[in-house]
Amino acid sequence: MAATRFLSHITIFNSKNSNLYSITILAILCTIFYLIGIWQHSLGPIPNSSSSPVSGFLSSSPCYSLHTAQLDFMPHHLPHDPTPATARVPHFPPCNISFSEYTPCEDARRSLKFDRDMLIYRQRHCPEKNELLKCRIPAPYGYKVPFRWPESREFAWFANVPHKELTVEKKAQNWVKVEGEKFRFPGGGTMFPRGADAYIDDIDKLINLKDGSIRTAIDTGCGVASWGAYLLSRNIIAMSFAPRDTHEAQVQFALERGVPALIGVLASIRLPYPSRAFDMAHCSRCLIPWDNYDGIYLIEVDRILRPGGYWILSGPPINWENHWKGWNRTADDLKAEQSRIETVAKPLCWKKIVQKGDIAIWQKPTNHIHCKITRKVFKQPRFCQTQNPDMAWYTKLEKCLTPLPQVSEIKEIAGGQLPKWPQRLNAIPPRISSGSLTGVTGNNFVENTELWKERVAYYKNIDYQLAQTGRYRNLLDMNAYLGGFAAALVDDPVWVMNAVPVEADQLNTLGVIYERGLIGTYQNWYFPFLSLPSIKFNDSLVFLDRCEAMSTYPRTYDFIHADSIFSLYKDRCDMEDILLEMDRVLRPEGSVIIRDDVDVLLKIKKIIDVMQWEGRIADHEKGPHEREKILFAVKQYWTAPPLAPKHDQ
């Protein structure tokens, strides 16, 4: 037993000695190699030798190069990615104060380049693309928020429209007076010295203005639009127009008063309204030569007048027997002019129903059954054969009579009977019930009407100013479709200009809007070269693709609604150009609602942030999961700086 224990101890001792020897030898070898390594680095780089693999390895790149080497994982069979473009930060400084009343498409300097025949030079002539302003139109120093309706019908701030010319030129007619810091509009006119209300009463004695059968009217050569202003209290809404600067700022005064108006003129192209739009047309000494150019201007009035509609004329030559001396014309001259007007009206199949005092009224037939028979007697004007009667954007006037829709019997009203106002607003319009508006049914119309009631209610929940009665007066809907937005606001003290951009691949729905008893205009925010007419300037065509402005003054609207307008004009018109036009026609402290895809709204938000607008994006009325969102924005108050005082030199 003891021997066994002794042998075990010897074995353990030998094993320990063996491990110790191995560790000692390994340490000696590591020390030797370490010293050799230090010695080699102290000698510097070893010359390369192709015969020695060791020398080749040692002559490889130094250690620091291993840290800077780049591994290329890119597939070399693909083209290189383009360098990302640097994001442009938009900048829109204020324009010079000289542009405070700038109307791009009715610029007086540009108009002088065009033909004066038929007043072509006073038509729309918009700037070319390289002429578009990239600045914001300033309000004049001292600008104030306009009076609220109905007070605005009587008063406007002088600082907002600083022009006294009409107070002097039309002093005897009581158009407008200056009273301290305000203008006062007595409601007078050249042919209604007792006031517009009394003048309208005289018309009401001749045709019925009370029963709702007359709802839409047009006032040609409107002055400061007192006729339209006083019709509103009778539930008749008038579209008033006059050319730029025939009398200084007349349309601007109308808009400042809260009365619907546009800059416009009867010249060589159609008025921007559909056929059969108005129940009544009016001219009170409007200076339009109705008897000239083979009656082409009355032919245009006939196009836009509804079957059974009225044309009212007061002023020269009506009642020439009593006024010829005051008009500084001879009795024979005025008598001949009235005879020529009568001669023009007869081939249109109009019937003169009354002439009393200074007022004469004609009525358009309710259909063309008899009128077609009379073509055997009246060779001119012939019936138009090709043109769409509702096509009225840069469409040249023609000396042909617009045919009314076919009827089956003499008592039938062409185009369909319209209900009286206010039932007309929500009744299915004849253009829809007849199927003439492709793709729109009566059910679509009813659904659209209910949809916009819901949307406007949602707007008012978010925009408390829209919900505040009287806060806004002049509204613009940039893409009105069937007029649902305007219809939902009909009980508010507002009016809406319903713009229909029909050339932008849209349905021509403006006729439906007028059949509802609302008003509007054709307006294409972008217009391509190929769609423009052959209007010549110095014997050459000058039109190019461009964004286009409205025929209105700066600061026209208190509120602008834009439904999908930016998606509609994507890749056609620069977003910033449309926004700058919106800024031009929007009053300081006015509001904007823009509906569109969220990606579009995010781009818009970046632009308006540098335009002195305050805006926020809200969810769709159906909830946050809809891609369409709503941008609510307010234009901040700012004006041009005060003019520097003049010092004696």
Side-chain angles (χ1 to χ4, degrees):
M1 188 70 178
T4 304
R5 233 186 259 139
F6 177 76
L7 289 174
S8 174
H9 283 300
I10 292 173
T11 303
I12 293 170
F13 177 80
N14 290 337
S15 175
K16 288 182 178 179
N17 285 342
S18 175
N19 289 340
L20 180 63
Y21 292 149
S22 298
I23 292 170
T24 302
I25 292 170
L26 181 62
I28 292 171
L29 289 174
C30 287
T31 302
I32 292 171
F33 282 117
Y34 176 75
L35 293 175
I36 292 172
I38 294 174
W39 175 73
Q40 285 179 336
H41 280 288
S42 68
L43 295 177
I46 298 176
N48 185 24
S49 172
S50 59
S51 61
S52 173
V54 176
S55 65
F57 172 77
L58 294 175
S59 66
S60 61
S61 299
C63 294
Y64 64 81
S65 67
L66 297 175
H67 297 291
T68 59
Q70 297 291 327
L71 298 179
D72 184 5
F73 294 100
M74 295 301 295
H76 290 278
H77 59 281
L78 296 175
H80 293 292
D81 288 339
T83 303
T86 303
R88 184 177 71 87
V89 178
H91 177 57
F92 308 112
C95 302
N96 187 279
I97 183 59
S98 62
F99 288 97
S100 69
E101 294 180 358
Y102 181 57
T103 54
C105 297
E106 283 80 17
D107 182 60
R109 290 170 295 181
R110 184 178 296 104
S111 70
L112 296 177
K113 302 175 182 179
F114 294 87
D115 195 343
R116 289 180 172 265
D117 183 48
M118 292 186 71
L119 298 180
I120 289 175
Y121 75 108
R122 281 189 171 164
Q123 293 177 167
R124 284 176 59 89
H125 299 293
C126 297
E128 297 179 17
K129 189 170 184 178
N130 60 350
E131 298 176 309
L132 295 177
L133 293 181
K134 297 294 183 179
C135 54
R136 294 174 289 122
I137 303 297
Y141 179 73
Y143 179 89
K144 298 181 181 180
V145 174
F147 292 94
R148 292 193 176 189
W149 183 266
E151 190 179 5
S152 66
R153 187 179 69 174
E154 320 293 336
F155 296 101
W157 295 110
F158 177 82
N160 293 8
V161 192
H163 297 288
K164 292 185 177 180
E165 291 83 352
L166 282 178
T167 66
V168 177
E169 184 178 347
K170 296 294 180 180
K171 183 177 181 180
Q173 280 81 35
N174 269 339
W175 281 24
V176 56
K177 297 180 180 294
V178 178
E179 296 180 352
E181 295 182 342
K182 297 182 291 186
F183 287 110
R184 184 169 67 86
F185 301 91
T190 307
M191 294 309 300
F192 32 96
R194 295 182 294 121
D197 237 2
Y199 174 77
I200 293 169
D201 284 339
D202 291 339
I203 295 173
D204 190 33
K205 295 172 184 175
L206 305 176
I207 57 175
N208 194 339
L209 301 179
K210 297 186 182 75
D211 68 352
S213 59
I214 295 176
R215 165 62 182 172
T216 56
I218 186 167
D219 192 11
T220 56
C222 65
V224 296
S226 288
W227 187 71
Y230 283 86
L231 278 173
L232 288 166
S233 61
R234 302 168 194 249
N235 283 324
I236 297 174
I237 186 166
M239 175 68 77
S240 300
F241 75 87
R244 176 81 156 88
D245 291 339
T246 297
H247 300 300
E248 187 69 37
Q250 52 187 335
V251 169
Q252 193 175 13
F253 274 125
L255 293 163
E256 197 68 20
R257 299 175 71 184
V259 180
L262 282 173
I263 299 172
V265 63
L266 267 170
S268 71
I269 59 175
R270 286 179 169 179
L271 296 172
Y273 315 113
S275 65
R276 313 193 315 275
F278 298 99
D279 302 307
M280 178 169 58
H282 175 257
C283 164
S284 176
R285 201 169 186 176
C286 60
L287 305 179
I288 296 173
W290 300 111
D291 54 321
N292 287 2
Y293 308 109
D294 299 320
I296 197 169
Y297 297 142
L298 271 186
I299 290 172
E300 173 62 359
V301 171
D302 179 84
R303 182 186 71 85
I304 62 175
L305 202 58
R306 187 159 291 135
Y310 300 97
W311 183 57
I312 302 170
L313 177 64
S314 67
I318 302 304
N319 202 11
W320 58 268
E321 298 91 342
N322 294 316
H323 293 300
W324 65 273
K325 290 182 180 179
W327 290 338
N328 295 318
R329 292 174 60 183
T330 67
D332 289 342
D333 181 28
L334 288 162
K335 181 180 179 181
E337 181 183 345
Q338 179 156 350
S339 178
R340 291 192 298 271
I341 290 174
E342 305 270 9
T343 300
V344 170
K346 283 181 180 178
L348 302 181
C349 304
W350 291 7
K351 179 183 179 182
K352 187 177 183 181
I353 59 173
V354 65
Q355 178 174 329
K356 185 175 181 180
D358 296 336
I359 300 172
I361 303 178
W362 284 260
Q363 186 173 25
K364 179 178 176 176
T366 55
N367 59 62
H368 274 162
I369 289 180
H370 283 321
C371 202
K372 290 179 179 178
I373 296 172
T374 63
R375 290 311 93 182
K376 297 176 182 178
V377 178
F378 301 111
K379 302 298 182 184
Q380 296 294 332
R382 59 181 175 80
F383 280 100
C384 301
Q385 300 297 319
T386 56
Q387 274 196 349
N388 180 345
D390 290 344
M391 186 179 294
W393 189 249
Y394 291 118
T395 304
K396 294 186 71 174
L397 292 179
E398 283 193 285
K399 297 175 184 178
C400 60
L401 186 59
T402 300
L404 290 172
Q406 295 284 352
V407 296
S408 56
E409 49 117 4
I410 192 65
K411 292 184 179 181
E412 187 179 350
I413 296 177
Q417 175 74 51
L418 288 176
K420 294 181 179 180
W421 181 263
Q423 289 74 26
R424 183 187 299 188
L425 180 69
N426 293 315
I428 297 175
R431 277 176 163 88
I432 293 178
S433 59
S434 66
S436 60
L437 196 62
T438 305
V440 182
T441 66
N443 287 337
N444 296 147
F445 174 80
V446 172
E447 291 170 1
N448 184 264
T449 299
E450 293 303 314
L451 173 66
W452 280 105
K453 286 180 182 178
E454 295 173 5
R455 287 181 169 180
V456 169
Y458 179 70
Y459 290 167
K460 289 183 175 181
N461 285 335
I462 295 179
D463 184 351
Y464 72 93
Q465 294 193 89
L466 182 62
Q468 183 182 350
T469 301
R471 172 63 182 87
Y472 301 126
R473 173 63 183 168
N474 302 359
L475 276 63
L476 169 65
D477 191 355
M478 295 178 68
N479 187 16
Y481 189 43
L482 301 177
F485 172 75
L489 291 166
V490 72
D491 293 327
D492 293 355
V494 303
W495 63 269
V496 180
M497 182 67 75
N498 293 284
V500 173
V502 65
E503 295 292 343
D505 304 324
Q506 296 286 88
L507 283 174
N508 189 344
T509 55
L510 191 55
V512 166
I513 288 170
Y514 274 95
E515 287 180 340
R516 300 187 74 172
L518 305 171
I519 59 169
T521 180
Y522 292 120
Q523 171 64 45
N524 291 310
W525 306 101
Y526 165 80
F527 212 68
F529 169 74
L530 293 177
S531 298
L532 288 163
S534 299
I535 298 177
K536 291 185 176 181
F537 163 51
N538 290 346
D539 296 325
S540 61
L541 296 177
V542 296
F543 293 107
L544 298 172
D545 289 14
R546 59 175 180 244
C547 300
E548 291 205 339
M550 283 193 76
S551 290
T552 193
Y553 283 88
R555 302 172 298 282
T556 288
Y557 296 103
D558 306 302
F559 183 98
I560 299 176
H561 180 251
D563 178 15
S564 305
I565 200 75
F566 291 91
S567 289
L568 179 64
Y569 284 100
K570 184 180 179 181
D571 302 324
R572 299 185 185 187
C573 193
D574 289 342
M575 184 179 289
E576 62 188 38
D577 289 330
I578 296 178
L579 287 168
L580 284 171
E581 173 61 4
M582 293 170 69
D583 184 80
R584 184 185 75 88
V585 302
L586 186 65
R587 288 174 172 166
E589 299 186 350
S591 294
V592 173
I593 292 180
I594 304 173
R595 302 180 66 94
D596 222 309
D597 184 85
V598 61
D599 290 341
V600 174
L601 293 186
L602 289 172
K603 293 177 182 177
I604 292 172
K605 181 67 168 59
K606 290 181 180 179
I607 297 176
I608 68 171
D609 284 345
V610 298
M611 289 174 57
Q612 287 185 266
W613 290 16
E614 293 180 353
R616 63 190 179 100
I617 297 175
D619 286 329
H620 191 277
E621 60 269 5
K622 291 184 179 179
H625 300 298
E626 299 287 331
R627 277 198 61 85
E628 184 178 76
K629 305 293 181 185
I630 305 169
L631 172 64
F632 294 83
V634 176
K635 178 179 176 179
Q636 297 177 34
Y637 178 89
W638 67 277
T639 70
L643 295 175
K646 294 181 180 180
H647 299 286
D648 294 335
Q649 298 295 326

